[in-house]
Structure formats: C-alpha cells, structure tokens
Amino acid sequence: MTEFSGGCLCGAVRYEGSEQKGGGHCHCIGCRKSSGTGHSSHMVVPEDSFRATGEVRFFDRPADSDNMVSRGFCPTCGSPVYSTNSGMPGMVFVRASSLDDPGVFQPQMVVYAKWAVDWDSVGTALPTFEEMPPPEAMEEVLS
Ligand SMILES: [Zn+2]
Ligand SMILES: [Zn+2]
C-alpha cells in the first residue's frame, strides 16, 4: 500500500493517505478550466484512508451526469487539492498535481477525450473514453 502526502502551493492545506484506487485524466471543461492546462489528473482515494488539514474552499458545479462535483482549493494560493463527486460517495479525488511525489499516481484511464485539446495529449496507452464510461466499464478499468 502506497503512503502518499501532498498539499497546496503555500502549504496551508496538507493531506496524507494510505490507499489509492487508481484514477485517471479528465478533459471535461470543469477540469480544464480549474487546472491551468487541458485536463485534471485525479487519484481516487477512499475517504476513510484520507486526512486533510487546513481550510479548503469548495466550488460546486454539476457534471454532465448531473452528479455534483465539489472542487476543493486553497483559498490563499488557489491551488486545487481534491474534490468529491456525489455519484461516487465515500471517495476523494486527489489532484495529482498537489502530490508531494506525483510519481505515486497510477492513472488507469482517460475520460472526456472528446473535449481534449490538440496540444494537451496524455497519450493513448490508457483506456480512453469519449465521455464518462458507464459504471461497469469504470469498475473493470479501476479493478
Ligand atoms: Zn495554499
Ligand atoms: Zn473532469
């Protein structure tokens, strides 16, 4: 089991965890606009193995699926740190960009590839879905 830690750029938000259930790259518009580049990379972590300290502010925006995505960021430096999704309760989506050692992240899929921009390819070695895959396909990839 890989221990990991991370936080925002200014250090006010810190977190640590001990388990990851894979994750992936998302090219959806919300992930792009909140990222600084063409996608966000999320490490999926069970919330009971995740602890965060410091103030995190959340911006709620419904996803295409109508699930509510709450994107957490540091109110001081603006770094995105982690988010939650009402469609996957009990899970935290850690922004791989905020990891102290981003090498611990093991992405397993690419989603919303239909909105990927030409200059921001994450490669085609991973299973790639035009939109969000159905739950069965997602479980297969993440298992
Ligand atoms: Zn900060
Ligand atoms: Zn997204």
Side-chain angles (χ1 to χ4, degrees), residues 46-70:
E47 75 183 355
D48 58 10
S49 70
F50 181 79
R51 294 164 303 282
T53 55
E55 184 194 353
V56 178
R57 193 171 298 166
F58 288 89
F59 174 71
D60 296 345
R61 184 174 188 273
D64 265 17
S65 55
D66 283 338
N67 292 329
M68 185 59 77
V69 177
S70 301

Side-chain angles (χ1 to χ4, degrees), residues 8 10 74 77:
C8 66
C10 78
C74 171
C77 70

Side-chain angles (χ1 to χ4, degrees), residues 34-50:
S34 61
S35 72
T37 186
H39 69 281
S40 292
S41 301
H42 297 109
M43 189 167 89
V44 183
V45 177
E47 75 183 355
D48 58 10
S49 70
F50 181 79

Side-chain angles (χ1 to χ4, degrees), residues 25-32 40 42 69 71 111-112 132:
H25 307 293
C26 181
H27 289 281
C28 84
I29 291 164
C31 284
R32 169 168 61 80
S40 292
H42 297 109
V69 177
R71 290 183 172 81
V111 301
Y112 284 111
M132 190 58 82

Side-chain angles (χ1 to χ4, degrees), residues 58-132:
F58 288 89
F59 174 71
D60 296 345
R61 184 174 188 273
D64 265 17
S65 55
D66 283 338
N67 292 329
M68 185 59 77
V69 177
S70 301
R71 290 183 172 81
F73 59 94
C74 171
T76 301
C77 70
S79 307
V81 281
Y82 63 93
S83 51
T84 59
N85 184 321
S86 64
M88 290 181 75
M91 294 293 172
V92 173
F93 299 83
V94 172
R95 290 282 189 130
S97 55
S98 68
L99 289 163
D100 293 332
D101 174 9
V104 302
F105 175 50
Q106 295 167 342
Q108 287 166 304
M109 62 167 82
V110 179
V111 301
Y112 284 111
K114 68 175 184 180
W115 285 323
V117 291
D118 291 345
W119 45 257
D120 185 54
S121 170
V122 292
T124 52
L126 297 170
T128 298
F129 301 91
E130 285 296 288
E131 299 187 348
M132 190 58 82

